[in-house]
Amino acid sequence: MAANKKLLFLPGDGIGPEVMAQVRKVIDWLDNRRHVSFELEEDLVGGAAIDAHGTSLTDATLDKAMNVDAVLLGAVGGPKWDNVARDIRPEAGLLTLRKDMDLFANLRPANCLPSLADASSLKEDLVSGLDILIVRESTGGAYFGQPKMIEDIEGGQRAVDTQVYTTAEIERVCRVAFDLAEKRSGKLHSVEKANVMETGVLWRQVATEIGKEFSGIELQHMYADNCAMQLVRAPKQFDVIVTDNLFGDILSDCAAMLTGSLGMLPSATLSGADQSGRRRAMYEPVHGSAPDIAGKDKANPLATILSFAMMLRYSFDDGNNADLIEDAVKNTLGRGIRTGDIMQEGMELVSCSQMGQALTEELDKLAA
Ligand code: NAD
Protein backbone atom coordinates (compact mmCIF):
# COMPACT_ATOMS: atom_id res chain seq x y z
CA MET A 1 0.00 0.00 0.00
CA ALA A 2 1.21 3.53 -0.67
CA ALA A 3 2.60 5.59 2.22
CA ASN A 4 0.16 8.43 1.65
CA LYS A 5 -2.01 7.83 4.68
CA LYS A 6 -1.86 10.89 6.89
CA LEU A 7 -2.54 10.50 10.60
CA LEU A 8 -2.69 12.98 13.42
CA PHE A 9 -1.93 11.59 16.88
CA LEU A 10 -3.38 13.55 19.80
CA PRO A 11 -2.30 11.63 22.94
CA GLY A 12 -3.77 14.20 25.35
CA ASP A 13 -3.57 13.74 29.11
CA GLY A 14 -3.22 11.13 31.84
CA ILE A 15 -2.87 7.63 30.39
CA GLY A 16 -3.36 9.03 26.84
CA PRO A 17 0.38 9.18 26.00
CA GLU A 18 1.04 5.72 27.52
CA VAL A 19 -1.65 3.94 25.53
CA MET A 20 -0.81 5.82 22.32
CA ALA A 21 2.81 4.71 22.65
CA GLN A 22 1.57 1.11 22.31
CA VAL A 23 -0.24 1.99 19.08
CA ARG A 24 3.08 3.26 17.75
CA LYS A 25 4.46 -0.25 18.29
CA VAL A 26 1.65 -1.63 16.11
CA ILE A 27 2.29 1.05 13.48
CA ASP A 28 6.01 0.19 13.44
CA TRP A 29 5.09 -3.47 13.12
CA LEU A 30 2.77 -2.76 10.16
CA ASP A 31 5.52 -0.72 8.53
CA ASN A 32 8.20 -3.39 9.04
CA ARG A 33 6.18 -6.52 8.46
CA ARG A 34 3.28 -5.54 6.19
CA HIS A 35 4.75 -2.58 4.30
CA VAL A 36 1.84 -0.42 5.41
CA SER A 37 3.16 3.04 6.17
CA PHE A 38 1.66 6.16 7.63
CA GLU A 39 2.72 9.78 7.59
CA LEU A 40 2.32 10.53 11.26
CA GLU A 41 2.18 13.86 13.04
CA GLU A 42 1.66 14.36 16.75
CA ASP A 43 0.21 17.36 18.58
CA LEU A 44 -1.26 18.51 21.88
CA VAL A 45 -4.88 18.54 22.98
CA GLY A 46 -6.72 18.95 26.30
CA GLY A 47 -4.81 19.81 29.46
CA ALA A 48 -1.45 19.34 27.74
CA ALA A 49 -2.43 22.04 25.21
CA ILE A 50 -3.72 24.33 27.98
CA ASP A 51 -0.33 24.08 29.71
CA ALA A 52 1.56 24.81 26.49
CA HIS A 53 -0.74 27.29 24.73
CA GLY A 54 -3.43 28.42 27.17
CA THR A 55 -6.18 26.70 25.19
CA SER A 56 -7.23 23.04 24.88
CA LEU A 57 -7.10 23.13 21.06
CA THR A 58 -5.14 25.63 18.99
CA ASP A 59 -6.32 26.69 15.53
CA ALA A 60 -3.16 25.14 14.10
CA THR A 61 -4.00 21.73 15.62
CA LEU A 62 -7.58 21.97 14.40
CA ASP A 63 -6.29 22.81 10.95
CA LYS A 64 -4.08 19.72 10.97
CA ALA A 65 -7.03 17.56 12.11
CA MET A 66 -9.13 18.86 9.20
CA ASN A 67 -6.45 17.95 6.68
CA VAL A 68 -5.38 14.44 7.65
CA ASP A 69 -7.11 11.18 6.73
CA ALA A 70 -7.75 10.25 10.35
CA VAL A 71 -7.15 11.43 13.90
CA LEU A 72 -6.33 9.10 16.80
CA LEU A 73 -6.97 10.62 20.21
CA GLY A 74 -5.92 9.25 23.61
CA ALA A 75 -7.90 11.00 26.36
CA VAL A 76 -8.26 14.47 27.81
CA GLY A 77 -8.76 15.92 31.27
CA GLY A 78 -7.65 15.44 34.83
CA PRO A 79 -7.79 17.12 38.25
CA LYS A 80 -5.08 19.63 37.32
CA TRP A 81 -7.49 21.36 34.92
CA ASP A 82 -10.75 20.91 36.83
CA ASN A 83 -10.93 24.62 37.67
CA VAL A 84 -9.88 26.27 34.37
CA ALA A 85 -12.41 28.53 32.60
CA ARG A 86 -15.26 26.57 30.99
CA ASP A 87 -14.46 27.69 27.43
CA ILE A 88 -10.86 26.40 27.57
CA ARG A 89 -11.40 23.26 29.66
CA PRO A 90 -9.87 20.05 28.24
CA GLU A 91 -13.21 18.66 27.00
CA ALA A 92 -13.87 21.90 25.06
CA GLY A 93 -11.04 21.00 22.67
CA LEU A 94 -12.59 17.61 22.06
CA LEU A 95 -16.04 19.09 21.44
CA THR A 96 -14.59 21.64 18.99
CA LEU A 97 -12.84 18.86 17.10
CA ARG A 98 -16.07 16.86 16.83
CA LYS A 99 -18.12 19.90 15.83
CA ASP A 100 -15.72 21.49 13.33
CA MET A 101 -14.88 18.16 11.71
CA ASP A 102 -18.67 17.55 11.53
CA LEU A 103 -18.32 14.11 13.10
CA PHE A 104 -21.99 13.20 13.39
CA ALA A 105 -21.84 9.40 13.41
CA ASN A 106 -20.38 7.88 16.54
CA LEU A 107 -19.61 4.17 16.18
CA ARG A 108 -19.44 2.26 19.43
CA PRO A 109 -18.78 -1.46 19.08
CA ALA A 110 -19.46 -3.71 22.05
CA ASN A 111 -17.65 -6.99 21.55
CA CYS A 112 -17.32 -9.54 24.27
CA LEU A 113 -14.33 -11.78 23.79
CA PRO A 114 -14.94 -15.29 25.15
CA SER A 115 -11.84 -15.00 27.37
CA LEU A 116 -13.35 -11.97 29.15
CA ALA A 117 -16.97 -13.15 29.25
CA ASP A 118 -16.92 -13.76 33.00
CA ALA A 119 -16.01 -10.07 33.58
CA SER A 120 -19.50 -9.10 32.37
CA SER A 121 -22.31 -8.45 34.82
CA LEU A 122 -24.50 -10.76 32.73
CA LYS A 123 -24.34 -14.54 32.53
CA GLU A 124 -21.47 -15.78 30.39
CA ASP A 125 -23.65 -17.53 27.79
CA LEU A 126 -25.67 -14.33 27.21
CA VAL A 127 -22.59 -12.27 26.31
CA SER A 128 -19.83 -14.59 25.14
CA GLY A 129 -19.11 -13.77 21.49
CA LEU A 130 -21.35 -10.67 21.60
CA ASP A 131 -20.66 -8.33 18.67
CA ILE A 132 -22.86 -5.21 18.56
CA LEU A 133 -22.24 -1.93 16.78
CA ILE A 134 -24.14 1.11 18.03
CA VAL A 135 -24.28 4.07 15.65
CA ARG A 136 -25.15 7.16 17.67
CA GLU A 137 -26.03 10.50 16.09
CA SER A 138 -23.59 12.78 17.87
CA THR A 139 -23.99 16.41 16.78
CA GLY A 140 -27.75 17.01 17.12
CA GLY A 141 -30.73 16.21 19.31
CA ALA A 142 -31.32 17.13 22.93
CA TYR A 143 -27.70 18.02 23.74
CA PHE A 144 -27.52 20.80 21.15
CA GLY A 145 -31.13 21.82 20.38
CA GLN A 146 -32.23 25.40 21.10
CA PRO A 147 -33.68 26.80 23.28
CA LYS A 148 -31.56 25.37 26.05
CA MET A 149 -31.77 27.29 29.31
CA ILE A 150 -32.75 27.60 32.91
CA GLU A 151 -35.01 30.57 33.65
CA ASP A 152 -36.57 31.98 36.79
CA ILE A 153 -40.31 31.60 37.12
CA GLU A 154 -42.67 32.26 39.96
CA GLY A 155 -41.96 29.83 42.76
CA GLY A 156 -38.73 28.39 41.27
CA GLN A 157 -37.02 27.87 37.97
CA ARG A 158 -37.80 26.26 34.64
CA ALA A 159 -35.24 24.22 32.70
CA VAL A 160 -35.52 23.56 28.97
CA ASP A 161 -33.66 21.23 26.63
CA THR A 162 -34.89 20.89 23.09
CA GLN A 163 -34.93 17.60 21.21
CA VAL A 164 -34.80 18.56 17.54
CA TYR A 165 -33.89 16.66 14.36
CA THR A 166 -34.16 17.49 10.69
CA THR A 167 -34.73 14.97 7.92
CA ALA A 168 -31.17 15.57 6.67
CA GLU A 169 -29.63 14.88 10.07
CA ILE A 170 -31.51 11.60 10.46
CA GLU A 171 -30.89 10.61 6.86
CA ARG A 172 -27.11 10.95 6.98
CA VAL A 173 -26.64 8.94 10.18
CA CYS A 174 -29.08 6.24 9.01
CA ARG A 175 -27.16 5.97 5.75
CA VAL A 176 -23.92 5.32 7.68
CA ALA A 177 -25.73 2.65 9.72
CA PHE A 178 -27.26 0.94 6.65
CA ASP A 179 -23.84 0.94 4.97
CA LEU A 180 -22.30 -0.72 8.02
CA ALA A 181 -25.16 -3.22 8.35
CA GLU A 182 -24.56 -4.17 4.73
CA LYS A 183 -20.92 -4.99 5.55
CA ARG A 184 -21.93 -6.97 8.65
CA SER A 185 -24.90 -9.32 9.15
CA GLY A 186 -27.48 -7.32 7.16
CA LYS A 187 -29.59 -6.59 10.25
CA LEU A 188 -30.33 -3.08 11.55
CA HIS A 189 -32.40 -1.89 14.52
CA SER A 190 -33.50 1.74 14.37
CA VAL A 191 -34.28 2.95 17.88
CA GLU A 192 -36.46 5.91 18.95
CA LYS A 193 -39.60 6.73 20.93
CA ALA A 194 -42.08 7.25 18.08
CA ASN A 195 -44.88 6.40 20.52
CA VAL A 196 -44.36 9.63 22.52
CA MET A 197 -41.94 11.90 20.62
CA GLU A 198 -42.36 13.77 17.34
CA THR A 199 -38.63 13.40 16.62
CA GLY A 200 -39.22 9.65 16.99
CA VAL A 201 -42.03 9.76 14.40
CA LEU A 202 -39.77 11.56 11.92
CA TRP A 203 -36.84 9.27 12.74
CA ARG A 204 -38.93 6.16 12.01
CA GLN A 205 -40.29 7.66 8.78
CA VAL A 206 -36.82 8.62 7.49
CA ALA A 207 -35.23 5.29 8.50
CA THR A 208 -38.02 3.47 6.64
CA GLU A 209 -37.49 5.61 3.51
CA ILE A 210 -33.70 5.02 3.50
CA GLY A 211 -34.39 1.33 4.08
CA LYS A 212 -36.06 1.17 0.65
CA GLU A 213 -32.64 1.86 -0.91
CA PHE A 214 -31.12 -1.06 1.01
CA SER A 215 -33.36 -3.95 0.08
CA GLY A 216 -30.93 -6.54 1.45
CA ILE A 217 -31.10 -5.13 4.97
CA GLU A 218 -33.61 -6.39 7.50
CA LEU A 219 -34.73 -3.17 9.24
CA GLN A 220 -36.53 -3.38 12.57
CA HIS A 221 -37.85 -0.41 14.55
CA MET A 222 -37.69 -0.56 18.32
CA TYR A 223 -38.63 1.83 21.13
CA ALA A 224 -35.62 2.98 23.15
CA ASP A 225 -36.97 1.69 26.48
CA ASN A 226 -37.56 -1.74 24.98
CA CYS A 227 -34.08 -1.66 23.45
CA ALA A 228 -32.56 -1.01 26.90
CA MET A 229 -34.49 -3.98 28.25
CA GLN A 230 -33.55 -6.24 25.33
CA LEU A 231 -29.87 -5.29 25.64
CA VAL A 232 -29.69 -6.82 29.10
CA ARG A 233 -32.17 -9.63 28.38
CA ALA A 234 -30.84 -11.04 25.11
CA PRO A 235 -28.09 -8.77 23.70
CA LYS A 236 -27.04 -11.17 20.95
CA GLN A 237 -30.28 -10.45 19.04
CA PHE A 238 -28.66 -7.15 17.94
CA ASP A 239 -26.07 -6.47 15.29
CA VAL A 240 -26.16 -2.78 14.23
CA ILE A 241 -28.29 -0.28 16.18
CA VAL A 242 -28.83 3.30 14.96
CA THR A 243 -30.24 5.88 17.31
CA ASP A 244 -30.20 9.54 18.32
CA ASN A 245 -27.72 11.39 20.51
CA LEU A 246 -29.47 11.04 23.87
CA PHE A 247 -30.64 7.42 23.54
CA GLY A 248 -27.31 6.51 21.94
CA ASP A 249 -25.38 7.95 24.86
CA ILE A 250 -27.27 5.77 27.30
CA LEU A 251 -27.64 2.61 25.21
CA SER A 252 -23.96 2.57 24.15
CA ASP A 253 -22.79 2.81 27.75
CA CYS A 254 -25.22 0.06 28.69
CA ALA A 255 -23.96 -2.16 25.83
CA ALA A 256 -20.37 -1.32 26.75
CA MET A 257 -20.78 -2.64 30.24
CA LEU A 258 -21.99 -5.97 28.86
CA THR A 259 -18.39 -6.48 27.81
CA GLY A 260 -16.90 -5.94 31.26
CA SER A 261 -14.14 -3.34 30.95
CA LEU A 262 -13.66 0.26 29.90
CA GLY A 263 -10.08 -0.56 28.96
CA MET A 264 -11.29 -2.71 26.04
CA LEU A 265 -13.72 -0.35 24.30
CA PRO A 266 -12.82 1.47 21.08
CA SER A 267 -14.87 4.08 19.21
CA ALA A 268 -14.93 6.04 15.97
CA THR A 269 -16.72 9.21 14.89
CA LEU A 270 -17.20 9.88 11.21
CA SER A 271 -18.36 12.76 9.03
CA GLY A 272 -20.33 12.39 5.82
CA ALA A 273 -18.51 11.27 2.69
CA ASP A 274 -17.28 13.93 0.28
CA GLN A 275 -17.46 13.47 -3.50
CA SER A 276 -14.41 11.24 -3.52
CA GLY A 277 -15.95 9.08 -0.77
CA ARG A 278 -13.55 10.38 1.88
CA ARG A 279 -14.90 10.82 5.41
CA ARG A 280 -13.21 12.87 8.12
CA ALA A 281 -12.75 10.63 11.12
CA MET A 282 -11.55 10.54 14.69
CA TYR A 283 -10.86 7.36 16.61
CA GLU A 284 -10.54 7.18 20.38
CA PRO A 285 -10.93 4.79 23.29
CA VAL A 286 -14.16 5.17 25.25
CA HIS A 287 -12.32 5.55 28.56
CA GLY A 288 -11.02 8.83 30.01
CA SER A 289 -7.57 9.87 31.15
CA ALA A 290 -7.64 7.64 34.28
CA PRO A 291 -5.65 10.03 36.51
CA ASP A 292 -5.57 7.39 39.28
CA ILE A 293 -3.20 5.19 37.27
CA ALA A 294 -1.60 7.75 34.91
CA GLY A 295 2.19 7.64 34.57
CA LYS A 296 2.38 4.23 36.26
CA ASP A 297 2.50 2.04 33.14
CA LYS A 298 -0.63 0.24 34.36
CA ALA A 299 -3.23 1.25 31.75
CA ASN A 300 -4.83 -1.19 29.36
CA PRO A 301 -3.82 -0.03 25.85
CA LEU A 302 -6.20 -2.41 24.02
CA ALA A 303 -9.11 0.05 23.66
CA THR A 304 -6.78 2.45 21.84
CA ILE A 305 -5.19 -0.30 19.76
CA LEU A 306 -8.69 -1.53 18.81
CA SER A 307 -9.60 2.09 17.92
CA PHE A 308 -6.62 2.06 15.57
CA ALA A 309 -7.92 -1.22 14.07
CA MET A 310 -11.26 0.54 13.47
CA MET A 311 -9.30 3.29 11.69
CA LEU A 312 -7.73 0.74 9.36
CA ARG A 313 -11.17 -0.70 8.62
CA TYR A 314 -13.23 2.48 8.21
CA SER A 315 -10.73 5.13 7.03
CA PHE A 316 -8.34 2.98 4.99
CA ASP A 317 -10.58 0.09 3.92
CA ASP A 318 -7.93 -2.29 5.26
CA GLY A 319 -10.08 -5.00 6.84
CA ASN A 320 -7.25 -7.56 6.58
CA ASN A 321 -4.88 -5.74 8.91
CA ALA A 322 -7.79 -4.69 11.17
CA ASP A 323 -8.77 -8.37 11.48
CA LEU A 324 -5.16 -9.27 12.18
CA ILE A 325 -4.93 -6.78 15.05
CA GLU A 326 -8.28 -7.87 16.49
CA ASP A 327 -7.18 -11.53 16.29
CA ALA A 328 -3.90 -10.62 17.99
CA VAL A 329 -5.89 -9.01 20.83
CA LYS A 330 -8.03 -12.15 21.16
CA ASN A 331 -5.00 -14.44 21.18
CA THR A 332 -3.03 -12.30 23.63
CA LEU A 333 -5.93 -12.43 26.08
CA GLY A 334 -6.41 -16.11 25.24
CA ARG A 335 -2.82 -16.67 26.41
CA GLY A 336 -3.87 -15.32 29.82
CA ILE A 337 -2.09 -11.96 29.56
CA ARG A 338 -3.91 -9.21 31.46
CA THR A 339 -3.50 -5.61 32.56
CA GLY A 340 -4.81 -4.77 36.04
CA ASP A 341 -8.30 -3.67 34.97
CA ILE A 342 -9.12 -7.08 33.45
CA MET A 343 -6.97 -9.21 35.77
CA GLN A 344 -8.42 -12.58 36.71
CA GLU A 345 -7.17 -15.33 39.00
CA GLY A 346 -4.44 -17.48 37.47
CA MET A 347 -3.64 -14.98 34.71
CA GLU A 348 -0.38 -13.12 34.09
CA LEU A 349 -0.45 -9.46 35.17
CA VAL A 350 1.45 -7.20 32.77
CA SER A 351 2.11 -3.47 32.41
CA CYS A 352 0.79 -1.24 29.64
CA SER A 353 4.05 -1.46 27.69
CA GLN A 354 4.31 -5.24 28.22
CA MET A 355 0.79 -5.61 26.81
CA GLY A 356 1.88 -3.63 23.73
CA GLN A 357 4.92 -5.89 23.41
CA ALA A 358 2.86 -9.09 23.85
CA LEU A 359 0.49 -7.91 21.16
CA THR A 360 3.22 -7.32 18.61
CA GLU A 361 4.64 -10.78 19.39
CA GLU A 362 1.19 -12.22 18.71
CA LEU A 363 1.06 -10.24 15.45
CA ASP A 364 4.40 -11.82 14.51
CA LYS A 365 2.96 -15.30 15.09
CA LEU A 366 -0.21 -14.57 13.14
CA ALA A 367 1.68 -13.14 10.19
CA ALA A 368 4.28 -15.96 10.12
P1 NAD B 1 -11.89 7.23 33.33
O1 NAD B 1 -12.39 6.46 32.18
O2 NAD B 1 -10.69 8.04 33.12
O3 NAD B 1 -11.59 6.22 34.54
C1 NAD B 1 -12.60 5.44 35.20
C2 NAD B 1 -11.93 4.24 35.90
O4 NAD B 1 -11.56 3.28 34.92
C3 NAD B 1 -10.66 4.60 36.66
O5 NAD B 1 -10.57 3.80 37.82
C4 NAD B 1 -9.55 4.24 35.70
O6 NAD B 1 -8.33 3.88 36.32
C5 NAD B 1 -10.15 3.06 34.95
N1 NAD B 1 -9.67 3.01 33.56
C6 NAD B 1 -10.07 3.81 32.54
N2 NAD B 1 -9.39 3.50 31.44
C7 NAD B 1 -8.55 2.51 31.75
C8 NAD B 1 -7.57 1.78 31.02
N3 NAD B 1 -7.33 2.00 29.73
N4 NAD B 1 -6.87 0.83 31.68
C9 NAD B 1 -7.10 0.58 32.97
N5 NAD B 1 -8.01 1.23 33.71
C10 NAD B 1 -8.72 2.19 33.12
O7 NAD B 1 -13.10 8.14 33.84
P2 NAD B 1 -13.13 9.24 34.99
O8 NAD B 1 -12.28 8.80 36.15
O9 NAD B 1 -14.55 9.52 35.20
O10 NAD B 1 -12.47 10.53 34.33
C11 NAD B 1 -11.12 10.91 34.49
C12 NAD B 1 -10.83 12.10 33.60
O11 NAD B 1 -11.01 11.72 32.23
C13 NAD B 1 -11.77 13.29 33.83
O12 NAD B 1 -11.03 14.47 33.73
C14 NAD B 1 -12.77 13.17 32.72
O13 NAD B 1 -13.33 14.42 32.37
C15 NAD B 1 -11.90 12.64 31.61
N6 NAD B 1 -12.64 11.90 30.55
C16 NAD B 1 -12.19 12.08 29.29
C17 NAD B 1 -12.78 11.37 28.25
C18 NAD B 1 -12.21 11.54 26.87
O14 NAD B 1 -11.12 12.05 26.72
N7 NAD B 1 -12.91 11.13 25.84
C19 NAD B 1 -13.81 10.47 28.51
C20 NAD B 1 -14.22 10.29 29.82
C21 NAD B 1 -13.63 11.01 30.85
Side-chain angles (χ1 to χ4, degrees), residues 303-353:
T304 315
I305 290 172
L306 290 169
S307 302
F308 174 69
M310 287 185 83
M311 177 194 289
L312 293 177
R313 193 182 302 285
Y314 297 121
S315 284
F316 299 116
D317 204 18
D318 185 2
N320 286 341
N321 282 313
D323 285 347
L324 199 69
I325 293 168
E326 287 163 2
D327 286 347
V329 169
K330 271 183 215 146
N331 292 359
T332 306
L333 295 172
R335 274 166 55 205
I337 294 176
R338 300 280 189 278
T339 43
D341 58 315
I342 50 173
M343 185 57 191
Q344 296 156 303
E345 213 181 310
M347 303 289 154
E348 183 189 345
L349 179 66
V350 298
S351 65
C352 178
S353 45

Side-chain angles (χ1 to χ4, degrees), residues 15 75-78 91 94 262-263 284 287-293 299-300 341:
I15 60 170
V76 297
E91 296 76 10
L94 200 51
L262 261 179
E284 54 187 309
H287 61 72
S289 60
D292 50 335
I293 55 167
N300 184 347
D341 58 315

